[in-house]
Amino acid sequence: MAHMEPALSVVFAFLPLPVLAHVARVSSQWKTVAYLPHFWCYLTLEPFLKNMDEMAVTSLLSRCSQLQALSLRGLDGTGDAILSCLGAHCPELQVLDLSFSYNLNGSSLSSLASCSRLRLLQLEGCENVRDEDLLPLAASLPIAHLNLSHCTLVTGASIPLFPRLVHLNIDGCPKTNQGLISRLAQGYDPSK
């Protein structure tokens, strides 16, 4: 039956990801082909999060070794296991949207430190994220775009520690101050 895998791969390339996940249940051969990493590089799971528990999400993400972009907007729960899974299984991750994940445990963001290619991180409305939660990311990741809009616990103390930062949104962060903005502006190099 291995001779059918190339044909299945061509057909599966035309399927939306939710359908691909369903056809993976047909047989072990179909599962093998359906979970080939190149199918799972860009995922938007927000429409499905209400119907998926954390175990289902981590099971899916553990197979996504070539995942480059992921949207988990509105993630319900702390996200501990999911972020740990991303750190362990998704080294190619470059874009992550966790916006409006109101119960996200900010301390679990440290799990992303092993996603060495992460350059865009959306945390808008993640009310539990604090400056100390961002420190492990600032030290180890090439984050150039950071959205902390409405992260009400962020003071901005960690922001100058992101050396590659070119875009920052701190709208609705009441604990940031004019001094932070001045320090950031002084370090701004328009040629970058």
Side-chain angles (χ1 to χ4, degrees):
M1 293 298 265
H3 64 280
M4 288 184 55
E5 288 181 10
L8 284 175
S9 186
V10 170
V11 172
F12 287 2
F14 291 98
L15 298 177
L17 293 178
V19 174
L20 193 58
H22 284 294
V23 301
R25 298 177 187 168
V26 171
S27 71
S28 60
Q29 182 186 22
W30 283 36
K31 181 178 182 177
T32 300
V33 176
Y35 284 115
L36 288 172
H38 67 272
F39 287 130
W40 302 90
C41 291
Y42 307 96
L43 292 177
T44 300
L45 294 180
E46 62 192 271
F48 312 104
L49 287 175
K50 298 297 180 206
N51 300 320
M52 294 177 77
D53 63 14
E54 194 170 58
M55 186 182 297
V57 174
T58 57
S59 176
L60 172 65
L61 294 176
S62 69
R63 297 179 176 110
C64 297
S65 62
Q66 293 181 19
L67 184 65
Q68 295 175 25
L70 175 63
S71 176
L72 291 168
R73 289 175 68 94
L75 177 67
D76 193 24
T78 62
D80 293 344
I82 293 171
L83 294 182
S84 178
C85 182
L86 286 173
H89 299 285
C90 303
E92 301 297 317
L93 189 65
Q94 297 176 35
V95 176
L96 179 59
D97 187 350
L98 294 166
S99 299
F100 307 108
S101 299
Y102 299 113
N103 297 315
L104 181 74
N105 181 357
S107 63
S108 62
L109 289 172
S110 64
S111 299
L112 298 174
S114 58
C115 297
S116 62
R117 300 185 67 194
L118 189 64
R119 59 182 171 71
L120 187 148
L121 181 59
Q122 300 274 14
L123 295 171
E124 180 177 2
C126 295
E127 298 171 347
N128 296 325
V129 172
R130 302 162 298 159
D131 286 283
E132 53 266 27
D133 302 328
L134 299 170
L135 291 175
L137 306 182
S140 60
L141 299 178
I143 294 176
H145 302 270
L146 182 60
N147 185 349
L148 297 172
S149 178
H150 302 283
C151 292
T152 56
L153 299 178
V154 170
T155 66
S158 61
I159 294 169
L161 301 175
F162 285 88
R164 294 183 176 101
L165 199 59
V166 293
H167 181 267
L168 172 68
N169 185 347
I170 52 172
D171 177 48
C173 295
K175 294 185 178 186
T176 58
N177 59 44
Q178 188 62 39
L180 166 69
I181 295 169
S182 296
R183 283 194 317 273
L184 291 172
Q186 288 172 353
Y188 174 69
D189 181 356
S191 66
K192 289 185 179 178

